[in-house]
Amino acid sequence: MIQLFDLSKKFGPNVALNDIRLRIRQGEFVFVTGPSGAGKTTLLRLIFGAEKPASGYILINAINLNRISRPKLDLLRRKIGFVFQDFKLLPKKTVSENVAIALEVIGLRPKFIRKKTHQTLRLVGLADKEKAYPLSLSGGEQQRVAIARAIVKDPLILLADEPTGNLDPQLTMEIMELFKSIHRKGTTVVVATHSQELLQGTDCRTIVLNHGKISEDTL
Amino acid sequence: MRSYFVRQALINIRKNLSVHILSLGTIVASLLILGLFLLLFGNLNNWLQRWGSALSMSIYLKDGISEYRRDKVDSFIRGLPGAEIKRFISKEEALKDLRAALGDDAGFLSRLERNPLPASYEVVFGSKGTYGVNPEKIKGELEKLDGVEEVQYSKEWLKKLEGFLDVVRLIGFIIGGLLCLCVVFIVTNTIKLTLYSRKDEIEILKLVGATDWFVKSPFLLEGMIQGTIGGILAVLTLFLGYLILPTHISLLGLAPLDFVFLPAGYLILILILGTVLGVIGSFIAIGRFFEV
């Protein structure tokens, strides 16, 4: 479960998030939307522990991120998958190596890592690109590598920052189906997007951010 | 996971090979200088001990000493514990030795009206009997004997040599310390370069939940490998140099001295030092790099 209490975040004089109170239950599928600069990415980064709040608290499965030690944050991150908006892929590593990194840090056996990486790449439709380097891939393919790295460890929470930003409608639907299948296994999925097409007709909970505040929550 | 660390460390070295070769060269040079100091100091110490353990004494006799008095001096010397008369040098032999030593410049000796050189005994105290021998006391007793003009012994200049050795030791410590700092500085900067070249990867590793030690270990290993290879190459270079250079040295007209190589303990010390300095260098480099 993700709980945010009176959460605020500032970057210098700019207020990115202001007095956010939010509860996302385990196994929920949530969209966070709003215009650019509304604070979507900041919100995800705070949940991930990549930013520290100016005030307020963040609890992840009852763990207070404000008081978490560095080693415990590392362990917590192994249970959270993050799809970064800029993918954060390593250009000098192959697609397979980029995905395998998420399992290597856990210290799993190389044989299992190879098998699981292959399975996940097949799931995102990149089984034939295992040996390719990220820069030789299209934007959509790079995005799928980033998604594969986030889901390869079967995370409890999946945070995705504009995961369909570079994808065509067909691929967007495929990725969303992928997220839904992960969600069906019990993973909490939080997708930050400004794409209205993605939200049309969805029955998932949608949180709208505006100027760092929650202006709407369809809970 | 250990194989992952080794693989990563080797990848780091391969990807920054030119930087690593340069830094390795400097580490080898630093450890080599350190090794040379140890070699020099060790040998000086050995020689000093050898000379020190063989106390030698020159006993000069008065001109015109009677046979009876000379026998008295002779038997007194033979009665000293550990003493061995290496040679009795008569006045004539002394002049002959001087003439031989001066070579072409010995012409003026023929113009001398009389031989001014005294007869003398060259006495050596064997190594077994040296400890416990008080040369100053023996000198005093000998000079009291009728017919003895003067007594000189080798310890006087050995004391000066010991003082010199203390200075060498001090210089060795200072230079050795500076060289160690130099190695640490080089390794730190090399590892920093690797860290900067892998900054993105480190950030991603941290974001996917790598512990600090998981990220740091390959870099520590990298410094350790560099230091160890530096140590091995320094020892090998030192040994090659030793093989090439002459091992018998004739110094100050004394008996030839053996120039011995460093004992195994010192070699291990250089290797350990290289490894430890490599680890310290990388430890400093990775110190504050992981706040993601």
Side-chain angles (χ1 to χ4, degrees):
Chain A
M1 185 187 281
I2 303 166
Q3 292 168 284
L4 311 179
F5 298 98
D6 308 323
L7 194 73
S8 296
K9 176 69 185 172
K10 288 178 183 175
F11 292 105
N14 303 319
V15 178
L17 289 173
N18 192 11
D19 207 20
I20 302 286
R21 289 174 204 179
L22 189 63
R23 205 166 89 156
I24 299 170
R25 290 187 302 277
Q26 180 61 38
E28 253 192 295
F29 195 119
V30 179
F31 283 108
V32 178
T33 189
S36 291
K40 303 185 292 293
T41 300
T42 306
L43 183 71
L44 294 194
R45 286 179 64 81
L46 280 162
I47 294 171
F48 190 59
E51 299 283 352
K52 287 199 181 298
S55 62
Y57 299 95
I58 306 160
L59 300 185
I60 308 287
N61 291 344
I63 299 167
N64 186 348
L65 288 197
N66 289 28
R67 291 184 186 172
I68 196 167
S69 65
R70 186 76 223 186
K72 280 190 178 163
L73 178 63
D74 293 332
L75 294 179
L76 183 66
R77 280 181 179 171
R78 295 179 185 184
K79 295 173 188 166
I80 304 174
F82 201 120
V83 183
F84 297 94
Q85 196 172 2
D86 57 355
F87 318 142
K88 290 205 185 297
L89 299 177
L90 294 163
K92 288 180 182 173
K93 285 194 183 288
T94 63
V95 165
S96 179
E97 286 168 342
N98 265 285
V99 176
I101 264 184
L103 298 175
E104 278 173 343
V105 301
I106 303 172
L108 298 172
R109 296 164 72 92
K111 197 177 169 186
F112 175 80
I113 293 174
R114 276 197 299 275
K115 190 177 160 195
K116 186 77 173 133
T117 304
H118 180 71
Q119 280 175 355
T120 311
L121 283 171
R122 208 169 53 196
L123 198 67
V124 297
L126 289 174
D128 57 332
K129 303 277 185 180
E130 278 192 11
K131 302 285 172 215
Y133 286 89
L135 292 180
S136 69
L137 304 178
S138 69
E141 285 171 328
Q142 288 184 33
Q143 197 138 28
R144 280 186 281 159
V145 178
I147 292 167
R149 189 181 59 199
I151 64 172
V152 71
K153 55 190 173 183
D154 297 325
L156 286 175
I157 300 168
L158 177 65
L159 306 171
D161 194 4
E162 304 283 1
T164 58
N166 292 293
L167 305 181
D168 58 41
Q170 174 61 32
L171 225 54
T172 300
M173 292 314 293
E174 283 178 24
I175 292 299
M176 287 319 294
E177 269 312 308
L178 186 65
F179 283 168
K180 279 178 185 165
S181 73
I182 293 160
H183 170 240
R184 277 195 289 275
K185 289 181 193 168
T187 302
T188 309
V189 181
V190 183
V191 178
T193 182
H194 67 272
S195 162
Q196 290 306 307
E197 292 86 356
L198 206 63
L199 301 170
Q200 273 168 9
T202 181
D203 53 354
C204 295
R205 181 180 172 189
T206 304
I207 296 161
V208 183
L209 282 175
N210 241 317
H211 300 296
K213 284 194 161 196
I214 296 176
S215 60
E216 195 186 332
D217 188 344
T218 62
L219 180 67
Chain B
M1 197 175 277
R2 263 173 286 170
S3 65
Y4 169 84
F5 295 148
V6 176
R7 204 173 62 236
Q8 284 304 317
L10 295 175
I11 288 171
N12 288 350
I13 292 173
R14 205 184 62 218
K15 285 188 176 169
N16 295 286
L17 197 60
S18 52
V19 176
H20 274 90
I21 288 173
L22 269 176
S23 115
L24 193 64
T26 326
I27 292 170
V28 172
S30 303
L31 291 175
L32 191 62
I33 295 170
L34 202 69
L36 278 172
F37 252 95
L38 285 175
L39 194 63
L40 189 71
F41 184 76
N43 276 286
L44 276 174
N45 222 9
N46 276 346
W47 299 339
L48 197 70
Q49 273 181 4
R50 268 183 56 189
W51 291 332
S53 65
L55 171 71
S56 64
M57 219 170 235
S58 296
I59 301 151
Y60 298 100
L61 305 176
K62 283 180 180 162
D63 274 356
I65 184 172
S66 68
E67 200 73 14
Y68 171 74
R69 293 279 175 224
R70 215 195 89 187
D71 282 348
K72 279 270 186 197
V73 173
D74 200 294
S75 26
F76 183 85
I77 294 168
R78 288 181 201 281
L80 289 170
E84 186 195 339
I85 297 174
K86 291 297 279 185
R87 192 180 166 204
F88 171 74
I89 306 165
S90 66
K91 282 174 71 71
E92 292 71 29
E93 278 170 332
L95 190 65
K96 202 173 140 192
D97 286 352
L98 183 63
R99 204 183 295 276
L102 292 172
D104 293 342
D105 299 323
F108 75 97
L109 291 176
S110 53
R111 291 196 292 275
L112 292 173
E113 285 178 7
R114 62 177 191 88
N115 179 359
L117 300 175
S120 64
Y121 281 101
E122 267 185 20
V123 179
V124 172
F125 290 81
S127 55
K128 279 184 185 171
T130 309
Y131 301 103
V133 168
N134 183 345
E136 199 56 44
K137 191 178 161 211
I138 296 171
K139 182 185 175 187
E141 285 174 4
L142 279 165
E143 281 176 345
K144 272 184 209 158
L145 291 178
D146 220 359
V148 173
E149 179 77 44
E150 195 189 351
V151 177
Q152 286 181 350
Y153 64 95
S154 53
K155 279 278 179 186
E156 282 159 5
W157 69 269
L158 278 178
K159 272 182 189 164
K160 284 180 189 166
L161 200 64
E162 270 176 353
F164 169 70
L165 214 59
D166 283 342
V167 174
V168 172
R169 189 184 287 135
L170 183 69
I171 293 170
F173 270 120
I174 293 169
I175 292 180
L178 288 173
L179 288 172
C180 287
L181 280 178
C182 173
V183 170
V184 169
F185 180 76
I186 293 158
V187 175
T188 302
N189 282 294
T190 315
I191 303 295
K192 266 187 187 168
L193 283 175
T194 320
L195 280 165
Y196 282 117
S197 72
R198 288 190 60 208
K199 199 166 175 275
D200 293 340
E201 191 176 340
I202 291 166
E203 186 195 354
I204 289 163
L205 281 170
K206 293 301 295 169
L207 290 174
V208 295
T211 58
D212 277 359
W213 280 108
F214 182 90
V215 185
K216 284 175 181 177
S217 296
F219 295 103
L220 283 177
L221 211 58
E222 191 182 331
M224 200 168 102
I225 290 171
Q226 209 178 36
T228 309
I229 294 176
I232 291 170
L233 289 179
V235 167
L236 283 177
T237 315
L238 206 61
F239 186 65
L240 281 176
Y242 170 77
L243 288 181
I244 293 164
L245 291 171
T247 51
H248 288 285
I249 292 171
S250 191
L251 200 67
L252 306 171
L254 292 166
L257 292 161
D258 284 333
F259 193 76
V260 294
F261 194 56
L262 286 173
Y266 279 61
L267 298 179
I268 293 168
L269 181 81
I270 294 175
L271 292 179
I272 292 174
L273 196 67
T275 310
V276 170
L277 293 176
V279 173
I280 292 173
S282 31
F283 213 87
I284 294 169
I286 60 178
R288 289 185 173 185
F289 208 83
F290 295 95
E291 292 301 315
V292 182

